[in-house]
Amino acid sequence: MDCPFRLAQEGIQVIIKYIGNSRKIRISKDDLIMLLQNNNPNTPPEIVKLNPETQERLQNLATGSCILMYEEEGTENPLKLQMVGWRGTMSLRAYVPIHDAIHYLRLLGADCSKFGMYFLEIYIKYIFVDLK
């Protein structure tokens, strides 16, 4: 592993200028949406399911922390997002808190309805299990 540390999303804006370009990966909107919609740590998105351009950029990236970089194209004031990711042996995932993932999905105009059930399940567990 060439990157023996794990970055945290909370400090990314401060340390991004100290991270070398070799750990930064440009990612397409569709790929970013797929990564953000996956909140199951047991089944991270496989690299082979990403766009061919993203797969090519990941070829020379060793396992470990990375910065996922997205920039909207074709607008006067493009949306620019930088977030922490993890490049696994055969997978890539966004390492962002679920609240941030929902916020980013909304900014990207993506569906985040599945997360409504996620929060409902947490609320029900809190009310009926944790308070007893």
Side-chain angles (χ1 to χ4, degrees):
M1 179 185 316
D2 290 342
C3 186
F5 55 86
R6 179 173 168 213
L7 298 170
Q9 183 66 23
E10 292 78 13
I12 195 66
Q13 297 304 321
V14 175
I15 64 167
I16 195 167
K17 59 186 170 189
Y18 301 109
I19 304 296
N21 288 335
S22 64
R23 300 300 314 168
K24 296 177 184 174
I25 297 295
R26 289 210 163 294
I27 190 163
S28 71
K29 181 177 180 178
D30 292 338
D31 288 341
L32 184 56
I33 290 171
M34 180 175 60
L35 297 179
L36 291 170
Q37 287 177 334
N38 181 294
N39 64 329
N40 185 343
N42 296 321
T43 57
E46 296 177 7
I47 291 173
V48 295
K49 294 181 180 176
L50 300 172
N51 290 331
E53 297 85 17
T54 305
Q55 291 181 39
E56 188 176 322
R57 290 184 200 117
L58 288 168
Q59 266 184 334
N60 296 324
L61 181 67
T63 303
S65 281
C66 59
I67 307 293
L68 305 174
M69 303 185 65
Y70 167 75
E71 185 171 346
E72 188 176 37
E73 297 176 355
T75 61
E76 188 175 318
N77 294 316
L79 173 65
K80 296 179 182 180
L81 299 174
Q82 300 93 24
M83 62 195 69
V84 172
W86 184 268
R87 203 276 200 220
T89 305
M90 300 179 68
S91 62
L92 180 67
R93 60 181 304 113
Y95 265 16
V96 296
I98 197 160
H99 293 87
D100 290 346
I102 294 169
H103 176 68
Y104 292 140
L105 286 167
R106 286 184 178 142
L107 287 174
L108 294 164
D111 178 30
C112 44
S113 60
K114 77 175 237 174
F115 293 105
M117 286 304 295
Y118 173 81
F119 287 113
L120 180 60
E121 289 170 9
I122 289 174
Y123 179 72
I124 289 171
K125 180 184 178 290
Y126 173 75
I127 293 296
F128 294 108
V129 177
D130 292 344
L131 289 181
K132 288 186 177 183

